[in-house]
Each structure stands twice: as C-alpha cells, then as structure tokens.
Amino acid sequence: MRRILLRPMCAALAALGAMACGENKGAQTDAVSDTVSRHYVGTLPAADGPGIVYDLTLVNPAEDSLAGDFRLSMTYLEAENGQDAKFDSEGRWTALRGIPGDSSAVFFQLVETGVRPDTTAFLDLGDSVVLLGAGLQRAQSGLNYTLTLTE
C-alpha cells in the first residue's frame, strides 16, 4: 500500500521541483495526471492582411510522450471588413523525424478531428516551432513563420 501511494507523490514532487527550478521552459505539468502542455504563440504572415495570430497548445499524456492532443486558435487580423476573424481547431499531434534536407529534424504533425481533417506540420526547434509547408518544406520567402514557446 505504501508503494502505491509513494509513486504518485514522488512524481508530483519531481514535477513541482522541476518547475520551481526553471526547467521545462514553457512546459506546464499537471502533477495529478502527469500531463505536460507546451504553449506557442506568434504572428505569421498573411496574404491579404497584417497577419495571423497563432496560439498553439500541445498536450502530452506524459513528459516523454511522442503524441498527444492539440488546440490551435488562428486569428486573422483585420480579415472581415477590418474586423478580426478567429478560427479554432483541435485534434491529435505526433512527433515524427525527418524533413527534406534534414533526416534528424523533429517535427510535430497535427491532424484535426472532424469531418474534413486538415494536417499541419511544425518543425521543433526547442524553444520555438516553425510552420512547414507542402512536402514538409520550410518557407523559401524569408518571411518569419515562427511560434515562440511561452512560459
């Protein structure tokens, strides 16, 4: 009985200790369920407006997990008669390895839930992610497609 109670308590203390020491920048751990979430934000270029604010949260069932759930909010600035238009999506994400030109690169593949699931990919750079285009290619335009990990 003691062993059963000690494991969750040790996990909770370890998670709290890591957070208190400043480890896992931008990652939040739920000590009760061992879930970890990472939150990324950035304004990306838009073809017909001043930009699109991306707000992405990746949720892991455990810190060392390579898959989980995501929530993505995209706010198109001044999209409809000068008013912002917001679109939310959610689904599953998976960490995969290998993009053209870099077989060791890690990227997150997001697959929306719904009738017509859309797939989006972000290159993982540690403290940021970069939106990838068709064929998992980085943008050649020189424009900034980076979302930054927040605290």
Side-chain angles (χ1 to χ4, degrees):
M1 180 71 167
R2 257 190 205 167
R3 188 178 298 174
I4 292 170
L5 292 175
L6 284 177
R7 282 188 184 164
M9 287 177 54
C10 289
L13 288 173
L16 291 173
M19 289 172 59
C21 293
E23 294 176 19
N24 297 326
K25 176 186 173 196
Q28 296 181 351
T29 303
D30 179 349
V32 175
S33 65
D34 289 334
T35 60
V36 177
S37 63
R38 288 173 285 172
H39 184 227
Y40 301 89
V41 177
T43 303
L44 305 187
D48 297 333
I52 307 166
V53 177
Y54 276 68
D55 188 326
L56 173 64
T57 301
L58 301 177
V59 180
N60 299 36
E63 185 148 359
D64 59 351
S65 176
L66 298 176
D69 297 320
F70 78 86
R71 291 182 305 277
L72 176 62
S73 175
M74 297 181 294
T75 304
Y76 289 74
L77 303 174
E78 301 175 20
E80 297 176 12
N81 300 321
Q83 299 297 312
D84 297 348
K86 183 177 176 183
F87 301 92
D88 295 320
S89 64
E90 59 185 25
R92 298 281 301 158
W93 68 268
T94 305
L96 301 169
R97 186 173 300 278
I99 64 171
D102 188 352
S103 61
S104 65
V106 174
F107 67 96
F108 302 125
Q109 182 178 49
L110 284 57
V111 179
E112 289 180 42
T113 55
V115 178
R116 291 188 173 158
D118 194 19
T119 301
T120 307
F122 288 92
L123 179 63
D124 181 21
L125 299 178
D127 61 353
S128 63
V129 293
V130 177
L131 180 65
L132 296 173
L136 302 175
Q137 297 285 334
R138 290 183 79 159
Q140 301 299 311
S141 65
L143 298 174
N144 185 3
Y145 287 90
T146 303
L147 306 181
T148 304
L149 186 63
T150 64
E151 294 204 40

